Amino acid sequence: MAMGKVLKVFGVLAVVLAFSLYSPPPSGIAEPVRLSMFNALARAVRFTGVFLEYLGLSEQYLVQRYAIETSSKFMKGYQREVPHIKITDTKFDGVPVRIYEPRERDSEKLPALVFIHGGGWVTFTVDSYDEATSDIANMLGQVVLISVDYGLAPANTFPGPLDECYRATKWLLDHAGEYGVDANRVGIAGDSAGGNLAASVVLQMKFNQVTPKLKAQVLVYPILQPLDFSLPSYQQNKYAFDGIITTHIVPYYWLLYAIGEAPKNLTDAMLEGQVLKEVKESSYKHLAKHIHHAYLPEKVKIRGFIPKKEVKTVIEEVPNSLLRIFLHPYFSPLLADDLSGLPRTHIITAEFDVLRDDGILYAKRLKSAGVDVTLNNVKDGFHGMLNFGFEKLGFYISQKLRKDLAEGIKKSL
């Protein structure tokens, strides 16, 4: 049976299951009725992927990619027109990029923003982000936006995606004049896994002493560490928008990015705290100090938090090769020892997102390192809200986030 037919059959079953397992959205989250409908559909995709993987017919991430590509094509009809923006696909040092620039320029050289899309390093592409990036580019006005189409895991594991994002950014800085860009006014931004890559590019550029330096970094609900899944945000938001992201699915993406596969014993070892425990007992224990609920403000614990005390041993020992990847500062920016000297940083988190506390902890560490940093925790926000700003059927919170993002970027550059 062709993949399309298989997905349709299991998709119908999964939709029924998703709705049958309906749970009300948490109080205070934005547009709960509409979000529940989107969440049920996203759940259906996830359940379909789980079923097909169990039957040996496909992989979870392949089903997700297929669903995202299909829905992106469908939603093209609901995308805003951006007649004042010129869009060009090209390559920077061999890396595919999409350039969004104003058709009419106010000056010969404009500031620029390198944007790195999310999707767990595995699912989304420049095409599936085009609605969001073209809309943001339109809001930015006299700013050139470059969206990086890095190769996806599991075929392209760490440091592959990072290397591509670094090369594309470095190419822009080195050849800015060719694209009508002021090299001294270039920033970088990313959401979710893209926020991880953006933060890592900044760290690598600092280490390599790249000049001119990036002017700013903007991280939207970034994923920054693969060790502690018992932080308050992981406990509170386990089922907040579980069609898109759950506590239990995050290790799956981390492992696909790290080693190209996600064996259940390793995902369980991450979730049960065994990986964190072994780090604390190793010569790298000083890195674990950067991740602890004690560093979080008490107000983020109000919705419920129970410190994890018991650690279940799932496997005999976590492979050293995996620990070395997990502890690399370009893989886990929150674990980097030295964050001083980084550019002005704006971090946006979402209250109803399992990744919220990663961003809060990173902002605290940056501030302690003397970095000019601002943190905005969107009180009714959820993971992925940047992608729901369609002209029709879109969420108001997505449009507000995009506008705030554009205004902040323009001021920073």
Side-chain angles (χ1 to χ4, degrees), residues 171-228:
W171 176 270
L172 176 64
L173 291 171
D174 291 342
H175 300 82
E178 299 173 24
Y179 302 96
V181 167
D182 182 349
N184 294 304
R185 300 178 65 194
V186 176
I188 192 168
D191 70 311
S192 193
N196 169 285
L197 292 169
S200 298
V201 166
V202 169
L203 288 171
Q204 191 172 2
M205 288 197 160
K206 174 200 167 183
F207 181 81
N208 292 338
Q209 299 182 332
V210 172
T211 56
K213 295 181 179 180
L214 291 171
K215 190 80 179 290
Q217 65 172 332
V218 180
L219 312 177
V220 182
Y221 35 76
I223 179 169
L224 300 170
Q225 58 85 22
L227 301 183
D228 194 342

Side-chain angles (χ1 to χ4, degrees), residues 26 37 45 52 55 95 97 142 154 249 261 286 365 369 401:
M37 296 175 64
V45 172
L52 292 181
L55 295 175
V95 180
V97 299
Q142 294 296 307
I249 199 67
E261 60 179 347
H286 64 286
R365 288 206 59 214
L401 173 61

Side-chain angles (χ1 to χ4, degrees), residues 34 84 130 212 223 277 309 340 360 367 377 406:
R34 191 183 305 185
H84 303 299
D130 185 68
I223 179 169
K277 179 175 180 290
K309 296 181 179 179
S340 63
I360 295 174
K367 186 175 182 180
N377 183 42

